Amino acid sequence: MNTTERSPLAIDAAAYRQDFPILSRQLREGVPLVYLDNAASTQRPQAVIDAMDACYEGYYANVHRGIHTLSEESTQKYEDARLRVAQFLSVANECELIFTAGTTAAINLVARSWGDANIKSGDVILTTMMEHHANIVPWQQLAQRTGCRVEFAPLTEDGRLCIESFDKRLSDLQPKLVALTAASNVLGTINPVAELVAKARDAGAVTLVDAAQAVPHAQVDVNQWDADFVTFSGHKVCGPTGIGVLHGKQQLLDAMPPFLGGGAMIHRVTTSGFEPAGLPEKFEAGTPAIAEAIGLAAAIDYVDSVGLDRIHAYELQLCTLAHEALQEIEGLHILGPDPKHKAGIVSFAIDGVHPHDISQWLDRRGIAVRAGHHCAMPLHELLQISASTRASFYFYNTPDEVLQFADAVRSARDKFNRPRKRT
């Protein structure tokens, strides 16, 4: 396949790869790393590593309440990080941004705080069949506590949300909450979030959007989505692990009880009770992830410098190339829609070959992909497969890496799906 005949690339990946120390690694002599597991976690540029090092080496101390120089400097940097996230998501009021441990923690916060306070027996929570477990299990736990039930909107044959069925479930079920992903971590499917949120709001539902697979790959303006809650994780956008963000509309956050108690979420405590702090501290109990928040701000600066529109266009080019190369392999089935409807994720199954064998075969060639159910067991059950192999791309991946990956998949298919000789 000749990539020189294609339209000019939206990004010159080589110009950015040098910013990521790990991408120069050789797993074994003569076997360079080809990292295609970005949906699980992206890599960190030197700018993020340097920002966190600068914190630990120069001014680290616990934030808030400290009346000394290091604490004041750390507090300023920590709150500057919140402002940077607000700018990134086009949030006007930074008190609506809660730092969490990640998307999973943010969704659990909403389930435990808003959910416990507002959901009762007989209520319905509507989600979709393409969700990550993090946007299923907290609602199932809420159902166990309250007696509500969780319903699922179905998909089309090509792995997109069936809008007609979604509309019917809104009308028939009258859900209290609609929780959906902006982009599937398995199928890559990009959902029309603003349209779905508007439909849910008209039906009287509160809305939560899992944006973990969207924020790193395309410009997200929470005002355009107009969802009540939006979550994402730092480690999927070139930032550190252990840091994520929950954006919630202030009137909802103000009415929600604090989920965890102690530390910064306190305004006043007596022997008879307590008064919580205001937003956002109300939901940030204990010592927060200080250096991680600072690293997240640096990651956002870096990704913004690359340009999210360019990242999205480039991932479409890589995804299209991967589709074309993989479709030539006999017995291989790509999961999800055409590249124009998806993020830079290509998941697939090969007749007669287990995904773990494929992943291990590729790893010997330096290629890192993900194999398993990708924390989406209901989706795989719907697809009638136990597991799949997933390659996921980012702006530092190259067309040559995509073709190398496809060649390795072809060789894996030939290795593990040979006809058995008769004895």
Side-chain angles (χ1 to χ4, degrees):
M1 191 169 296
N2 188 355
T3 60
T4 61
E5 298 176 358
R6 299 179 175 277
S7 58
L9 295 172
I11 284 177
D12 178 10
Y16 297 103
R17 290 177 66 84
Q18 60 187 346
D19 296 336
F20 292 80
I22 198 170
L23 297 183
S24 64
R25 178 180 173 182
Q26 291 200 351
L27 300 187
R28 290 170 292 282
E29 185 176 356
V31 182
L33 171 66
V34 177
Y35 186 78
L36 302 181
D37 195 20
N38 295 288
S41 191
T42 56
Q43 297 296 344
R44 283 108 197 88
Q46 190 65 50
V48 171
I49 298 169
D50 289 346
M52 296 179 71
D53 284 349
C55 170
Y56 284 127
E57 293 174 358
Y59 58 85
Y60 174 81
N62 214 326
V63 294
H64 306 132
R65 294 188 176 87
I67 318 273
H68 60 81
T69 299
L70 293 185
S71 180
E72 290 175 350
E73 290 179 357
S74 287
T75 299
Q76 186 63 56
K77 290 286 189 180
Y78 179 75
E79 294 303 333
D80 284 349
R82 197 188 311 273
L83 289 170
R84 185 65 185 93
V85 175
Q87 181 187 41
F88 186 57
L89 298 179
S90 300
V91 174
N93 185 356
E94 68 271 16
C95 78
E96 294 182 331
L97 291 173
I98 312 300
F99 282 131
T100 68
T103 298
T104 300
I107 295 173
N108 275 273
L109 189 161
V110 175
R112 277 290 184 173
S113 181
W114 182 88
D116 284 358
N118 292 277
I119 297 296
K120 64 183 184 302
S121 178
D123 287 341
V124 172
I125 295 170
L126 179 63
T127 186
T128 81
M129 285 302 299
M130 69 176 74
E131 300 302 318
H132 189 283
H133 293 164
N135 205 21
I136 297 175
V137 175
W139 312 124
Q140 292 175 331
Q141 291 175 314
L142 179 61
Q144 291 174 346
R145 295 194 300 272
T146 65
C148 75
R149 72 181 195 272
V150 181
E151 298 284 348
F152 294 83
L155 309 182
T156 61
E157 288 187 2
D158 68 345
R160 301 167 70 186
L161 183 65
C162 181
I163 302 299
E164 182 179 350
S165 296
F166 178 80
D167 292 345
K168 189 173 190 310
R169 277 165 169 71
L170 284 178
S171 175
D172 293 348
L173 300 175
Q174 292 294 299
K176 281 285 191 72
L177 174 73
V178 173
L180 56 92
T181 185
S184 167
N185 74 309
V186 178
L187 305 172
T189 306
I190 298 173
N191 282 320
V193 173
E195 174 190 347
L196 299 174
V197 166
K199 290 173 180 287
R201 183 174 57 249
D202 289 345
V206 170
T207 53
L208 179 143
V209 177
D210 172 0
Q213 298 293 343
V215 166
H217 307 286
Q219 192 69 55
V220 170
D221 183 335
V222 297
N223 301 298
Q224 293 179 357
W225 283 358
D226 200 26
D228 294 298
F229 301 104
V230 177
T231 73
F232 77 94
S233 296
H235 70 96
K236 295 185 190 294
V237 64
C238 294
T241 55
I243 187 73
V245 173
L246 169 66
H247 171 255
K249 291 185 176 180
Q250 184 172 356
Q251 64 270 28
L252 288 173
L253 294 174
D254 279 338
M256 288 162 52
F259 169 41
L260 299 174
M265 57 76 61
I266 293 300
H267 174 66
R268 186 168 183 266
V269 180
T270 68
T271 56
S272 59
F274 73 95
E275 179 184 346
L279 296 175
E281 289 84 3
K282 176 181 177 181
F283 295 106
E284 294 182 6
T287 298
I290 301 164
E292 289 78 6
I294 292 165
L296 175 58
I300 288 172
D301 285 342
Y302 184 86
V303 170
D304 259 352
S305 74
V306 178
L308 283 159
D309 289 341
R310 294 173 66 220
I311 291 173
H312 180 68
Y314 184 63
E315 287 182 359
L316 175 58
Q317 291 176 313
L318 295 183
C319 191
T320 300
L321 180 61
H323 267 242
E324 292 174 356
L326 292 176
Q327 284 169 348
E328 297 176 356
I329 301 174
E330 184 179 356
L332 186 147
H333 309 280
I334 296 176
L335 310 179
D338 293 336
K340 64 182 178 180
H341 298 301
K342 67 194 297 186
I345 291 174
V346 179
S347 297
F348 61 91
I350 299 178
D351 295 338
V353 185
H354 197 284
H356 289 172
D357 290 331
I358 299 171
S359 180
Q360 188 175 41
W361 181 264
L362 266 59
D363 182 61
R364 293 175 183 173
R365 287 146 183 81
I367 303 169
V369 297
R370 182 72 43 163
H373 53 67
H374 317 302
C375 295
M377 294 178 76
L379 173 60
H380 280 78
E381 183 177 358
L382 175 69
L383 299 172
Q384 298 183 335
I385 55 177
S386 61
S388 61
T389 306
R390 182 185 69 192
S392 47
F393 312 116
Y394 211 26
F395 62 86
Y396 44 61
N397 293 124
T398 68
D400 285 344
E401 288 182 323
V402 174
L403 296 178
Q404 182 181 341
F405 152 72
D407 286 342
V409 171
R410 183 179 293 104
S411 68
R413 188 263 177 201
D414 294 342
K415 167 70 174 178
F416 295 107
N417 198 23
R418 291 176 179 173
R420 293 183 178 179
K421 293 182 180 181
R422 292 183 179 181
T423 56

